[in-house]
Amino acid sequence: MQKTPLAHTLRATAAILLVAALAACSSTPDKPKPADLPANVALLGVRQAWTAKLGEVGFPLEVNVNGGTVALATGNGTVLALDARTGRELWRTAVGAPLSAGVGSDGKVTAVVTRDNEVIALESGKVLWRQRLGAQAYTAPLVAGGRVFVLAADRSVSAFDGQTGRKLWNQQRTGEALVLGQSSVLLAVGDTLVSGVSGRLVGMNPTNGSTRWEAPIAAPRGTNDVERLVDLVGRVSRVGDVVCARAFLSAVGCVDAARGRLLWTKPAQASEGVHGNEQMVFGTESDGKVIAWRRENGEQAWVSERLRYRSLSAPLAVGRSVAVGDGTGLVHFLSREDGSPLTRMATDGSAIVTAPVLAGDTVVVVTHNGGIYGFQPE
C-alpha cells in the first residue's frame, strides 16, 4: 500500500529524533577522556598541498571524487567543485535550500537532496532539473549510466533520467520502523545497483528496480524499534565484485555482489563506515579502536587502541597507510600493516566530519567549520 506524505514525515521525524537521542547519550558528563597523543613520529612524509573554504557542513556530507575533481556541499545549499591537485575552485553555486544529502556525481551531472525532499541535478554549476521526493533522504544520490538514483528514508529507491529529471521508476522496500539519519549504502557494481535496506545489501536491476538478490549483514534484535535498528552506513569498501559494509552498532561484513552471496560477517560496534584494500578491511569503533579484518575471511589482523575516544571518522586506505580524522581536526596516518602511527597532520581544530577521500595522489578532508584540506603523502 502506498504510504501517505504524513507517514513519510513521521518516519523522517522519527529518524531525526533517534539521532538526537543517540547524540545525547554519547555526550554525558562521564564521557571517557580522549587518549593523549605522544610526540608526532613523522615516519611518513605528508605535505599540506592546499586548503580551501567551504562553509559549515551540518549534514551527512559525502565528498564525491571523479577523476581529478572533488565535489562538495554545505548544509545551507552551496555546492562546489574543486581541482583535487591544486584546490582551485572550478565552480560554485547555491541551490536555494538547505541540504539533507549529497554529493553524487559522474563528473558531468552532480546531484544533491534538500531538506524539502527535492533532488536537484546540476551540470557545470547550473541547475538542470528539480524533482520532488516522497520522503527525506540522507544518502548522497548515485549518478551512473546517465541516471540519478536516490535512496530515501522510507526505504524507497527512485531512478531519474540524468538530463531531464523524468522519473523512470520507484521501488518501495519494507523494513524496520525507524531509519538512521545518516548516509547509507548506494553504489553500482557492474550492471547491478546495490543499496542498503535495514541490515541487508540488496542488488537491484537498474533499469526497473526489481530485486536480484539480498544478503544480510546484520539482523534486527531486541524488543523495541531503537534496539532493532540495523541500518547499513556508508562508506563501503569495494574491491572488484566484493562489497564490505558496516551495520550500525552491530556488525561488519562482506558480500559477493556478482552472486549476492554473504562471504562473512563479524560483530563490531560503531556508526562509521569502512574502507580497505585487496587484503584488509579497516574500520573505526565507537570507542576509538581502529581494527583491520582480513578481507578473505573476516579474521582480525590487528587492533590499535592509540586513538581511543578521539571521535574518529571512517578510515581511508591509501598507499601503505590508513588515514582517519578525529574530533579535534587531526588527521592520523597509521600503518596498514599493524596500525602503528606514521604521522599526523593538523587542520583548523574543528572535527573532521567526513571520511577522508583520495583524489589522484591527494587525500582530501573536510572539517566541521568548513575547512577543506588537501594532503599529499609520499
Side-chain angles (χ1 to χ4, degrees), residues 90-163:
L90 303 176
W91 55 261
R92 176 185 294 244
T93 192
V95 300
L99 301 183
S100 65
V103 176
S105 181
D106 63 356
K108 182 179 180 182
V109 174
T110 299
V112 295
V113 183
T114 73
R115 293 183 196 168
D116 294 330
N117 304 350
E118 191 175 48
V119 56
I120 301 176
L122 307 101
E123 187 170 359
S124 300
K126 294 180 171 46
V127 174
L128 276 177
W129 50 264
R130 299 170 182 257
Q131 278 285 7
R132 183 71 58 181
L133 299 173
Q136 193 85 63
Y138 302 107
T139 303
L142 171 67
V143 185
R147 300 181 179 191
V148 177
F149 301 95
V150 181
L151 172 64
D154 64 351
R155 307 186 193 280
S156 66
V157 180
S158 302
F160 303 88
D161 182 277
Q163 286 297 311

Side-chain angles (χ1 to χ4, degrees), residues 177-336:
L178 293 182
V179 295
L180 191 65
Q182 73 179 70
S183 177
S184 184
V185 176
L186 191 64
L187 75 156
V189 180
D191 64 349
T192 298
L193 176 66
V194 179
S195 69
V197 178
S198 295
R200 311 185 301 277
L201 280 177
V202 177
M204 307 172 73
N205 183 335
T207 62
N208 57 21
S210 61
T211 299
R212 289 176 171 169
W213 52 260
E214 295 189 10
I217 288 179
R221 298 170 297 175
T223 58
N224 59 55
D225 289 338
V226 173
E227 291 174 345
R228 293 176 61 81
L229 181 71
V230 290
D231 272 349
L232 300 187
V233 298
R235 68 182 358 166
V236 301
S237 172
R238 177 192 170 190
V239 175
D241 292 331
V242 176
V243 176
C244 303
R246 182 186 295 277
F248 180 71
L249 296 182
S250 58
V252 167
C254 290
V255 170
D256 181 340
R259 299 174 175 82
R261 182 169 62 92
L262 178 67
L263 301 177
W264 57 263
T265 182
K266 298 291 183 180
Q269 289 286 320
S271 59
E272 301 292 339
V274 297
H275 203 241
N277 54 28
E278 290 82 358
Q279 292 79 37
M280 303 284 187
V281 178
F282 305 104
T284 57
E285 298 291 275
S286 296
D287 61 2
K289 289 197 292 283
V290 184
I291 299 179
W293 296 272
R294 300 190 188 282
R295 194 175 198 93
E296 60 180 356
N297 56 20
E299 294 304 312
Q300 219 172 82
W302 54 258
V303 179
S304 171
E305 300 196 10
R306 295 178 176 89
L307 302 177
R308 292 289 295 272
Y309 309 114
R310 297 195 64 86
S311 301
L312 302 182
S313 72
L316 169 72
V318 50
R320 63 188 182 99
S321 66
V322 179
V324 297
D326 75 13
T328 67
L330 295 175
V331 183
H332 304 266
F333 291 82
L334 310 177
S335 168
R336 72 179 184 187

Side-chain angles (χ1 to χ4, degrees), residues 348-363:
D348 60 14
S350 66
I352 305 296
V353 292
T354 65
V357 298
L358 182 65
D361 61 354
T362 303
V363 175

